[in-house]
Amino acid sequence: MESSVRIEQALSAAIDLAKQPGCPPRLYEAMRHAVFPAGARLRPRLCLAVALSCGETDLRIPMTAAVAIELLHCASLVHDDLPCFDDADTRRGRPSVHRAFGEALAVLTGDALIVQAFQVLARMPPTARLGSVLASVSAGVGTPWGIVAGQAWECEPTVDVAQYHRLKTGALFAAATMAGAAAAGVDPGPWRALGDGIGEAFQVADDIRDATSTAEEMGKPAGRDLALDRPSVVRELGLEGAIGRLDRLIGEVGETIPTCPGAAELHNLIRVEARRLLPAKLAQRAA
Amino acid sequence: MESSVRIEQALSAAIDLAKQPGCPPRLYEAMRHAVFPAGARLRPRLCLAVALSCGETDLRIPMTAAVAIELLHCASLVHDDLPCFDDADTRRGRPSVHRAFGEALAVLTGDALIVQAFQVLARMPPTARLGSVLASVSAGVGTPWGIVAGQAWECEPTVDVAQYHRLKTGALFAAATMAGAAAAGVDPGPWRALGDGIGEAFQVADDIRDATSTAEEMGKPAGRDLALDRPSVVRELGLEGAIGRLDRLIGEVGETIPTCPGAAELHNLIRVEARRLLPAKLAQRAA
């Protein structure tokens, strides 16, 4: 709970770096609109949890990594909602950024949030870990295998669906685990598999929510997978099958956690979080 | 001349990081389209020139900064050309990215190039200079006073024109001089004024070109300032007045060059480059 408060405070401080004389005030407002009120903040919490599991007790460096990753996630939502992609009117129960501020400012808000993530990293306390954190964070977003590349698969004539999901969703979870390790001074490479596995589980949970929730519950349009003829685990396996796969994936990710002081607590935390991803009426069954 | 070849090679290598199995091939093509063939490459050349002037002879670190800055410049052109901004059909004599690849992929290409800039910095040889270079580069692009903030002034109900140009154009020149200094292990702060001054001179030269060149000479639509009722030094002072101001600005920037081993050569280089910015028929008069 305490870390959630600290994440919100750190995100707010990061956005407020833009609140200066000479900065366009609507750009600042749109950036704040894109980042608040809080979503689940899964990725920054995962990043911090990994750093703690690796034995890091000073969270100043992990927190800069966590904030950078959440800003990049929010940026991706702003651009994904644009008319040329999902054309979504709502996000987190409010108008999407382009609906509230116009398309031009929405493009720039996404750009500004991407850059802000790296400005935050640049303000990290001086440490030799910066290079490793920067590499982990940026690789999860860019090319060849980050979330931007994942989204760009939508612009190709033929798509490898598994690769599409792995990049579009999994890459930023992998960035969260890897950057958490890097921020703790640990080699990030062995932490990639955990992030990939969590990303896959998240994608299944997201498909289940899309198929079973109302737009009000989700804070964004529901039933989009069916409406847009997108691949979905629920369409492929049915609801019970999808819940079964989620359970199996969450069990499996435990095996991918590298040896570290807090491995058992980390796996338990991931189980709890996975249950919270499901609509309340299904969470009991998944448990 | 040699540094120009090395800049192209380094940019090509940076883009080719995206050419991997699993990366959407059209995204890679669009990134390459956005960065090649070469524009004037003013900013990376300025960045390298500053690092050399500061006495740095090993250009590996300055080159990563120079490449990052040019990728960010190219990203800004891709997004500025979008229908919701300038709606430009051509750039560097070829179709703009959204004309060639569609609007969705153009948004993602800009995003990918922004992130690629930071991925390039992450691959810098290990050095304590990374934090300072990262701060200089990212501040020139983001908020409160980078080029994204400059562009966002177009979305405000009232605009401070001088501030608009200072951010939209000057900020990345300031990033180039500051990152060049930082990459040479020198405090970047004192190098900001030189970048700001060069940015202001560039803006005047750009206004002169827009007013006096054909679209073919510019490789992009000409006469846009008049057509879009934009502020322009040529409209304000007339052509002779604008050329006079450019001469004065180029003279003045010499006084802003911090004390360093190569100050005189750097000022001379800036004079030569400034003349090259003008259409051939005017360059003689400016000289």
Side-chain angles (χ1 to χ4, degrees):
Chain A
M1 178 56 75
E2 189 218 1
S3 81
S4 293
V5 173
R6 289 172 68 184
I7 289 169
E8 295 314 301
Q9 288 172 338
L11 282 166
S12 189
I15 297 300
D16 277 354
L17 293 174
K19 198 181 183 181
Q20 296 284 341
C23 184
R26 292 185 74 237
L27 176 61
Y28 165 75
E29 281 172 43
M31 290 168 75
R32 188 159 271 282
H33 184 101
V35 176
F36 300 100
R41 308 295 196 213
L42 292 175
R43 296 157 189 80
R45 287 161 58 215
L46 177 61
C47 178
L48 293 179
V50 167
L52 282 165
S53 298
C54 290
E56 180 57 84
T57 53
D58 180 349
L59 288 186
R60 287 177 300 166
I61 292 172
M63 185 63 84
T64 64
V67 165
I69 285 169
E70 183 65 11
L71 293 176
L72 291 161
H73 172 58
C74 293
S76 77
L77 299 182
V78 174
H79 281 185
D80 285 0
D81 284 343
L82 285 171
C84 63
F85 296 108
D86 288 0
D87 197 13
D89 291 339
T90 56
R91 169 70 68 179
R92 292 175 180 163
R94 294 198 305 163
S96 53
V97 173
H98 68 95
R99 279 285 166 199
F101 294 90
E103 195 174 337
L105 200 54
V107 172
L108 294 172
T109 299
D111 293 353
L113 290 173
I114 295 173
V115 179
Q116 193 77 345
F118 296 105
Q119 291 177 273
V120 165
L121 292 185
R123 298 167 74 98
M124 184 180 283
T127 169
R129 300 175 190 176
L130 174 58
S132 177
V133 173
L134 179 61
S136 298
V137 171
S138 58
V141 185
T143 57
W145 302 306
I147 56 174
V148 169
Q151 180 73 13
W153 271 112
E154 292 186 6
C155 305
E156 295 287 329
T158 55
V159 183
D160 174 337
V161 174
Q163 177 74 349
Y164 165 66
H165 283 312
R166 192 155 46 237
L167 302 190
K168 184 174 173 176
T169 306
L172 206 53
F173 283 100
T177 54
M178 294 173 74
V186 168
D187 176 14
W191 286 87
R192 179 191 301 274
L194 174 63
D196 283 340
I198 293 174
E200 194 180 348
F202 176 83
Q203 186 62 50
V204 173
D206 202 50
D207 286 357
I208 294 172
R209 274 186 305 168
D210 185 76
T212 61
S213 302
T214 64
E216 195 175 346
E217 284 167 330
M218 293 182 73
K220 62 180 182 179
R224 301 289 278 178
D225 293 338
L226 194 61
L228 297 173
D229 196 28
R230 284 178 179 148
S232 150
V233 175
V234 177
R235 290 177 71 187
E236 185 191 331
L237 302 179
L239 184 58
E240 293 297 328
I243 291 174
R245 177 178 286 188
L246 179 62
D247 267 352
R248 186 172 52 74
L249 287 171
I250 295 300
E252 285 171 4
V253 295
E255 294 157 29
T256 66
I257 298 176
T259 305
C260 65
E265 292 88 335
L266 182 60
H267 193 192
N268 195 46
L269 179 73
I270 292 166
R271 285 183 194 281
V272 172
E273 292 290 333
R275 227 166 286 148
R276 287 176 49 182
L277 285 178
L278 295 182
K281 60 197 174 207
L282 294 177
Q284 280 306 99
R285 281 155 67 191
Chain B
M1 180 54 78
E2 189 218 2
S3 81
S4 292
V5 173
R6 289 173 67 185
I7 288 169
E8 296 313 302
Q9 288 172 337
L11 282 167
S12 189
I15 298 300
D16 277 354
L17 293 174
K19 199 180 183 183
Q20 296 284 340
C23 185
R26 293 185 75 237
L27 176 61
Y28 165 75
E29 282 172 42
M31 290 169 74
R32 188 159 271 284
H33 184 101
V35 176
F36 300 100
R41 307 293 196 211
L42 291 175
R43 296 157 190 80
R45 287 160 60 215
L46 177 61
C47 179
L48 293 180
V50 167
L52 283 165
S53 298
C54 289
E56 180 58 85
T57 52
D58 179 350
L59 288 187
R60 286 176 301 164
I61 292 173
M63 186 62 85
T64 65
V67 165
I69 285 170
E70 184 65 10
L71 293 176
L72 290 162
H73 172 59
C74 293
S76 76
L77 299 182
V78 174
H79 281 185
D80 286 0
D81 284 344
L82 285 170
C84 63
F85 296 107
D86 287 1
D87 197 13
D89 290 339
T90 55
R91 168 71 66 180
R92 293 175 179 165
R94 294 198 304 162
S96 53
V97 173
H98 67 94
R99 279 286 166 198
F101 294 90
E103 194 175 336
L105 200 54
V107 172
L108 294 172
T109 299
D111 293 353
L113 290 172
I114 295 173
V115 179
Q116 194 77 348
F118 295 104
Q119 291 177 271
V120 165
L121 292 185
R123 297 167 75 96
M124 183 181 284
T127 168
R129 299 175 190 177
L130 174 59
S132 177
V133 172
L134 179 61
S136 297
V137 170
S138 59
V141 184
T143 57
W145 302 305
I147 56 173
V148 169
Q151 180 73 12
W153 271 113
E154 292 186 6
C155 304
E156 296 288 327
T158 55
V159 184
D160 175 336
V161 174
Q163 178 73 350
Y164 166 66
H165 283 312
R166 192 155 47 237
L167 301 191
K168 184 173 174 179
T169 307
L172 206 53
F173 283 99
T177 54
M178 292 173 76
V186 169
D187 176 15
W191 287 86
R192 179 191 300 276
L194 173 63
D196 283 340
I198 293 174
E200 195 180 348
F202 177 82
Q203 187 61 51
V204 173
D206 202 50
D207 286 357
I208 294 171
R209 274 186 305 168
D210 185 76
T212 60
S213 301
T214 63
E216 196 177 344
E217 284 167 331
M218 293 182 73
K220 61 180 182 179
R224 299 290 279 179
D225 294 338
L226 194 60
L228 298 173
D229 197 27
R230 283 177 177 150
S232 150
V233 176
V234 177
R235 290 177 72 187
E236 186 192 331
L237 302 179
L239 184 56
E240 294 297 330
I243 293 174
R245 178 177 286 188
L246 179 62
D247 268 352
R248 185 170 54 73
L249 286 170
I250 295 299
E252 284 171 4
V253 295
E255 293 157 29
T256 66
I257 297 176
T259 305
C260 66
E265 292 87 337
L266 182 60
H267 193 193
N268 194 46
L269 178 73
I270 292 167
R271 286 183 194 282
V272 172
E273 292 291 333
R275 225 165 289 147
R276 287 177 49 183
L277 286 178
L278 294 181
K281 59 195 174 208
L282 294 177
Q284 281 304 100
R285 281 155 67 188

